[in-house]
Amino acid sequence: MLSGHASGRTGFMLVRRKLVERLRAQGIHDPRVLAAFEDVPRHDLVPEALWGQAYKDTALPIGEGQTISAPGIVATMSAALGLRGAECVLEVGTGSGYQAAILSRLAARVISIERIPALAQAAQAALANLKVRNVEFYLGDGTCGRPEDAPFEAIVVTAGGPEVPRPLLEQLALGGRLVGPFGPRDAQQLLRIQRTGEASFTQEVLGRCDFVDLVGRNGWLP
Ligand code: SAH
């Protein structure tokens, strides 16, 4: 076995540094975001057969017809949330747990919801192995948010829905940011929405994207 290609933070360290250089070249400059990508071992969140591709900038299959998002888009979304460290963040779509692990280093508390039990369980086990302690996992329909933990200073939606789920807008703190992919399946846009008042929001288009479906009451029908 090649040295350095082990599980955990020390495995694939040099490849991870190269990934960070690519993210920097793509315009990610927040040092805390870059440090998180240097730190989180993405290979531990994909099947071992895919370890050789773990640090390429592509989505990879994680089972159940779902994917781990590409590092570049995870970095763009994480940076767009503008986290300083004290926030409580809601993530819709735990998937592999990669985005949650990155967020765990950028915010105080992460609440992550997944609708597919097998993925939620695998992500929870993988993040426990990585000693991530500030992520809480819930099984359910994330398009309804989690009113009992609202308001959230930041919300990230990591699956593509037809429109921004209203409950998520309602659960956004004043000044809070929501980032996620919305619109028709063949023309998804990555949006950043900021709550500027009780009933006022600003919206920016950050770019085009291509995510798996957001399935739920305020998403696509199952
Ligand atoms: N953040 C993940 C991305 C996984 S892909 C990662 O870093 O790996 C998106 C995930 O959203 C899938 O696992 C899918 O099952 C989940 N999902 C789709 N609709 C959902 C919903 N309404 N509530 C919770 N999770 C949902």
Side-chain angles (χ1 to χ4, degrees), residues 4 10-19:
T10 50
F12 292 88
M13 214 142 70
L14 294 176
V15 206
R16 215 146 55 233
R17 280 198 194 131
K18 281 192 188 142
L19 166 65

Side-chain angles (χ1 to χ4, degrees), residues 66-67 91 93-96 99 114-116 141-142 158 213 215:
Q66 307 302 319
T67 55
E91 178 191 30
T94 313
S96 66
Q99 171 83 78
E114 170 59 53
R115 64 181 285 273
I116 299 177
D141 179 3
T158 68
D213 279 2
V215 179

Side-chain angles (χ1 to χ4, degrees), residues 121-133:
Q121 280 160 20
Q124 185 161 5
L127 267 55
N129 270 337
L130 297 179
K131 311 265 186 291
V132 172
R133 300 188 211 282

Side-chain angles (χ1 to χ4, degrees), residues 8-9 16 19 35-45 55 97-105 127 130 132:
R9 292 208 180 101
R16 215 146 55 233
L19 166 65
F37 278 84
E38 184 157 338
D39 207 31
V40 175
R42 188 173 187 253
H43 66 282
D44 279 334
L45 302 172
Y55 296 99
Y98 185 55
Q99 171 83 78
I102 295 288
L103 293 172
S104 76
R105 283 155 172 78
L127 267 55
L130 297 179
V132 172

Side-chain angles (χ1 to χ4, degrees), residues 54 58 73 75 83 85 92 118 121-122 129 137 140-141 146 149 155 157 170 173 180 194 203 213 218:
T58 58
I73 190 88
L83 299 169
V92 176
Q121 280 160 20
N129 270 337
F137 300 87
D141 179 3
R146 244 188 95 75
D149 290 308
I155 299 179
V157 182
E170 285 164 357
Q194 183 158 18
Q203 178 176 308
D213 279 2
N218 305 286

Side-chain angles (χ1 to χ4, degrees), residues 13-215:
M13 214 142 70
L14 294 176
V15 206
R16 215 146 55 233
R17 280 198 194 131
K18 281 192 188 142
L19 166 65
V20 168
E21 285 321 307
R22 285 203 306 275
L23 296 176
R24 214 192 292 275
Q26 284 167 30
I28 306 292
H29 298 302
D30 183 333
R32 297 177 65 242
V33 172
L34 294 171
F37 278 84
E38 184 157 338
D39 207 31
V40 175
R42 188 173 187 253
H43 66 282
D44 279 334
L45 302 172
V46 301
E48 199 167 336
L50 298 177
W51 276 16
Q53 298 173 61
Y55 296 99
K56 292 190 176 151
D57 195 14
T58 58
L60 295 170
I62 54 170
E64 310 282 334
Q66 307 302 319
T67 55
I68 179 173
S69 307
I73 190 88
V74 176
T76 298
M77 292 167 82
S78 304
L81 293 172
L83 299 169
R84 311 286 288 274
E87 298 87 352
C88 177
V89 184
L90 174 69
E91 178 191 30
V92 176
T94 313
S96 66
Y98 185 55
Q99 171 83 78
I102 295 288
L103 293 172
S104 76
R105 283 155 172 78
L106 301 174
R109 186 175 172 214
V110 180
I111 292 174
S112 186
I113 310 179
E114 170 59 53
R115 64 181 285 273
I116 299 177
L119 295 180
Q121 280 160 20
Q124 185 161 5
L127 267 55
N129 270 337
L130 297 179
K131 311 265 186 291
V132 172
R133 300 188 211 282
N134 57 341
V135 179
E136 294 156 48
F137 300 87
Y138 295 96
L139 194 60
D141 179 3
T143 68
C144 300
R146 244 188 95 75
E148 49 275 74
D149 290 308
F152 302 99
E153 284 91 29
I155 299 179
V156 62
V157 182
T158 68
E163 59 194 17
V164 185
R166 174 160 293 277
L168 299 185
L169 294 174
E170 285 164 357
Q171 290 171 34
L172 203 53
L174 197 61
R177 285 86 54 207
L178 180 153
V179 174
F182 302 101
R185 289 191 176 94
D186 57 354
Q188 271 179 15
Q189 289 184 317
L190 188 64
L191 302 184
R192 171 167 54 193
I193 290 159
Q194 183 158 18
R195 186 169 204 167
T196 51
E198 188 48 38
S200 50
F201 298 85
T202 58
Q203 178 176 308
E204 283 163 86
V205 178
L206 302 180
R208 285 289 301 271
C209 52
D210 185 20
F211 279 78
V212 297
D213 279 2
L214 179 69
V215 179

